[in-house]
Amino acid sequence: MERKHIVKAIMTANQCSENQARAAFSTYRNIRADGYEVTKDSMSNRTFFRHQKMLRAAGVSDQHLRDAVVIPFMRVRFELARPVSNWEDIRRAA
């Protein structure tokens, strides 16, 4: 679902302004990206719980918010035994 559709759903469910809906959506996106506790600690409790209430009214469950699993990406470095210089080298390796 696109951002504008989610913001519109928040606006409709809460009878709020677009800016308030965008703020709630940003909180939702932060929860999904950084996790529930990190997001909660990054803003005032009153604001966090107001946004959470707005998201609930728009159909987002508490379980969905709390199950936001953040998986850190590890940098992977590939090293080839010898550099590939042409397509024939790739065909031989496959």
Side-chain angles (χ1 to χ4, degrees):
M1 200 173 211
E2 286 185 33
R3 175 188 173 125
K4 66 180 180 180
H5 296 295
I6 297 171
V7 169
K8 188 170 183 171
I10 294 169
M11 286 173 57
T12 303
N14 293 286
Q15 300 297 314
C16 64
S17 71
E18 184 174 354
N19 287 338
Q20 289 171 322
R22 284 183 181 186
F25 177 77
S26 292
T27 298
Y28 169 76
R29 192 174 55 206
N30 290 341
I31 290 171
R32 299 302 291 172
D34 300 330
Y36 187 87
E37 292 299 325
V38 171
T39 303
K40 183 179 172 191
D41 292 342
S42 72
M43 60 179 61
S44 72
N45 281 341
R46 184 176 177 159
T47 301
F48 180 79
F49 288 115
R50 181 177 357 101
H51 290 173
Q52 189 175 10
K53 181 180 175 184
M54 293 170 76
L55 291 167
R56 268 194 232 116
V60 178
S61 70
D62 287 344
Q63 191 66 35
H64 183 74
L65 292 174
R66 289 194 180 266
D67 284 346
V69 177
V70 179
I71 301 170
F73 289 102
M74 294 176 47
R75 187 176 199 130
V76 178
R77 182 178 173 144
F78 292 99
E79 290 188 30
L80 300 173
R82 62 187 177 118
V84 176
S85 59
N86 58 41
W87 284 103
E88 189 58 39
D89 291 344
I90 296 172
R91 286 187 197 102
R92 268 188 265 141

